[in-house]
């Protein structure tokens, strides 16, 4: 009996030790789930101009800003995203309906629904800023839902 308890305890300890040895940079991506971090994909999803075409255009965000997506080229399309009149970011497909900026400033998930409506979200890296009170808001990632197209 003591042998079984000892073996079980050692097995649990081994699993915990293995879980702690994973690098911090590894994240779990749940397809269709909420975006959690802005990370470049280990392997890019190939998307040409034809498969990117349904995503081109403007999307109103839940905070009132507008996300704009465009591409250049036909094969292995060069894709770009910007919010309002801010700097444009080159993006790569990280899945069939998700994109990440190469500079890790944006992560985008767009759910094009059969009824013509759109869902999804945008993560945007926000720089540190000094508030009117004198306090400093550290750099953080802001999440915004897609309100409409």
């Amino acid at each position: 009996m003591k042998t079984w308890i000892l073996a079980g305890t050692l097995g649990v300890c081994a699993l915990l030790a293995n879980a702690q040895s994973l690098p911090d940079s590894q994240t779990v991506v749940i397809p269709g789930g909420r975006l959690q971090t802005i990370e470049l994909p280990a392997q890019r999803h190939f998307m040409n101009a034809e498969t990117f075409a349904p995503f081109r255009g403007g999307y109103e965000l839940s905070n009132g800003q507008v996300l704009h997506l465009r591409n250049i080229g036909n094969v292995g399309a060069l894709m770009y995203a910007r919010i309002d009149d801010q700097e444009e970011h080159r993006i790569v497909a990280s899945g069939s309906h998700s994109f990440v900026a190469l500079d890790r400033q944006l992560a985008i998930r767009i759910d094009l629904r059969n009824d013509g409506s759109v869902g999804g979200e945008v993560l945007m890296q926000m720089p540190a800023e000094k508030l009117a009170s004198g306090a400093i808001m550290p750099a953080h990632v802001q999440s915004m839902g897609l309100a409409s197209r």
Side-chain angles (χ1 to χ4, degrees):
M1 178 75 168
K2 289 180 182 179
T3 305
W4 286 107
I5 293 172
L6 181 60
T9 303
L10 288 174
V12 169
C13 289
L15 288 173
L16 290 174
N18 185 36
Q20 291 177 347
S21 66
L22 293 174
D24 289 340
S25 64
Q26 288 187 345
T27 58
V28 176
V29 178
I30 302 170
R34 290 186 52 88
L35 296 171
Q36 300 296 320
T37 59
I38 301 175
E39 298 292 332
L40 290 173
Q43 186 171 7
R44 295 178 187 175
H45 180 83
F46 177 76
M47 190 170 284
N48 61 25
E50 184 179 337
T51 54
F52 183 69
F55 299 102
R56 283 193 305 248
Y59 298 86
E60 186 176 340
L61 300 175
S62 58
N63 68 354
Q65 293 180 302
V66 177
L67 168 70
H68 301 274
L69 298 178
R70 71 178 187 94
N71 72 297
I72 300 172
N74 292 324
V75 179
L78 297 176
M79 303 172 288
Y80 296 90
R82 69 177 164 81
I83 295 178
D84 286 341
D85 293 325
Q86 296 177 13
E87 176 184 341
E88 195 168 57
H89 304 271
R90 177 142 180 243
I91 59 174
V92 294
S94 56
S96 60
H97 61 275
S98 56
F99 309 89
V100 177
L102 291 175
D103 61 7
R104 294 178 44 186
Q105 297 298 301
L106 293 173
I108 303 162
R109 180 180 52 83
I110 300 176
D111 303 320
L112 301 175
R113 300 181 183 129
N114 291 335
D115 65 0
S117 65
V118 177
E121 68 182 315
V122 174
L123 292 183
M124 183 167 71
Q125 182 67 41
M126 303 298 292
E129 62 180 307
K130 188 173 184 177
L131 303 176
S133 65
I136 295 180
M137 166 96 52
H140 63 283
V141 174
Q142 179 179 347
S143 177
M144 298 166 283
L146 292 180
S148 65
R149 184 169 191 179

